[in-house]
Amino acid sequence: MKLLLNASTLALVATLISSPAFAQQSTSKVVAASNIDWGYLNPLRGDKSPGAADLWGNRTTDTATGMLVRFKKGFESPPHIHNITYRGIVIEGQMHNDDPAAEKMWMPAGSFWTQPAGENHTTAANGKTNLIYLEIDSGPYLVKPTKEQFDNSERPLNLHKDNIVWLSDSDLNDINVDGVKSTYVWGSTANMNGSMIKLPAGFKGEVTTNASEFRAVVIAGAVNYNSSEQNKAQSLSAGSYVESTGRFTHSLENNSDKPATIYIRTNSKYQVN
């Protein structure tokens, strides 16, 4: 039996297939910290530069980007500015980021800060090893001299991990598992935003999302990760990265005796079940 389609029907089928509902496929990507390829934040300075690795995006182009940056103990930058605003989360070590005249305020792992574009500042590291997740909403990421400083009306934020308020439930997302906590760190619940979730020891569950952009970075602890696109579970330590597009389920298990903290950047609500 043959199915005959006229020109109008073919046009309708083509329209449906090309519509967003049909075009958006569920896809994912997983990058374990042990498999990250490292370069330099400023290649011209060689090993005097902090190490850097893009987890997503491209820090040298005009696009949003999330990257890891690592600093040697004793690192301290000269006063400088950036052309764009960035956000930082400490993964390991102790970091300071403030006005050049400010006393050192060392932020340990789990702390969060923002650095407005154009504002003069220095960055220093005091741990034996120091690692941060750094995120920009547009690029390229450039370092410029203080003589080019300007006021973009934003103000910096330094949030020590001990001052972060963790909630057992939230208007931002649906948390349906006892012991799971969340905190909201930037953005709007109606648009792109950033939050962190803390999974207790022994957690075994799922994070489900239908977002067109979902990006997650392990900040503390470690989790076993699995999904429909994985052949087997992977162990993801701090600095590991997961992303997905469309309706997707991320299966997570915390087999350690310590909580695991995960930062999530997304443009839609997600559920923890």
Side-chain angles (χ1 to χ4, degrees):
M1 176 179 175
K2 293 183 177 180
L3 179 63
L4 301 178
L5 301 176
N6 59 30
S8 296
T9 304
L10 288 173
L12 176 60
V13 171
T15 299
L16 289 173
I17 292 176
S18 63
S19 67
F22 283 80
Q24 181 172 307
Q25 300 295 318
S26 296
T27 59
S28 69
K29 175 184 175 182
V30 181
V31 180
S34 58
N35 295 328
I36 290 172
D37 294 325
W38 286 91
Y40 292 115
L41 193 62
N42 183 353
L44 295 178
R45 295 193 66 197
D47 60 7
K48 292 182 174 60
S49 169
D54 291 346
L55 295 178
W56 58 275
N58 184 335
R59 64 183 182 276
T60 66
T61 64
D62 183 15
T63 185
T65 303
M67 67 187 95
L68 296 178
V69 184
R70 60 186 180 189
F71 306 83
K72 295 179 180 179
K73 179 177 174 61
F75 171 88
E76 183 164 1
S77 71
H80 64 283
I81 72 163
H82 296 284
N83 59 312
I84 45 82
T85 295
Y86 78 80
R87 294 176 285 272
I89 304 177
V90 185
I91 296 177
E92 187 176 3
Q94 293 182 319
M95 298 296 303
H96 167 82
N97 192 82
D98 211 333
D99 183 272
E103 293 290 331
K104 293 291 194 295
M105 186 188 85
W106 296 113
M107 294 184 290
S111 302
F112 171 83
W113 84 86
T114 62
Q115 179 57 51
E119 181 163 301
N120 193 28
H121 68 287
T122 62
T123 302
N126 197 44
K128 184 177 180 180
T129 57
N130 305 273
L131 179 66
I132 70 168
Y133 171 71
L134 189 155
E135 186 175 271
I136 58 177
D137 291 328
S138 63
Y141 175 87
L142 302 176
V143 177
K144 295 190 173 186
T146 58
K147 65 181 181 180
E148 297 185 29
Q149 63 186 298
F150 58 91
D151 187 349
N152 75 344
S153 77
E154 297 178 16
R155 295 296 174 259
L157 170 68
N158 287 317
L159 187 58
H160 190 283
K161 80 172 187 67
D162 291 343
N163 293 327
I164 292 177
V165 178
W166 290 92
L167 305 175
S168 56
D169 53 24
S170 170
D171 291 334
L172 178 63
N173 300 293
D174 296 327
I175 309 296
N176 302 312
V177 181
D178 289 341
V180 175
K181 298 181 179 180
S182 68
T183 187
Y184 170 64
V185 290
W186 67 271
S188 166
T189 57
N191 299 294
M192 193 69 71
N193 63 78
S195 61
M196 290 192 287
I197 58 173
K198 187 177 290 188
L199 307 178
F203 172 87
K204 184 176 182 181
E206 300 173 338
V207 177
T208 58
T209 172
N210 194 27
S212 59
E213 181 175 340
F214 180 92
R215 306 182 187 277
V217 180
V218 181
I219 301 299
V223 294
N224 284 343
Y225 174 85
N226 211 340
S227 78
S228 60
E229 296 189 348
Q230 302 297 305
N231 293 325
K232 61 179 181 179
Q234 292 191 60
S235 178
L236 301 183
S237 59
S240 299
Y241 169 71
V242 175
E243 70 174 48
S244 67
T245 300
R247 187 175 297 280
F248 206 85
T249 297
H250 303 273
S251 297
L252 303 170
E253 188 170 351
N254 180 6
N255 291 324
S256 74
D257 58 358
K258 297 180 180 179
T261 302
I262 299 174
Y263 167 78
I264 296 174
R265 171 193 170 101
T266 186
N267 59 358
S268 181
K269 290 187 175 183
Y270 57 87
Q271 295 78 44
V272 181
N273 303 298

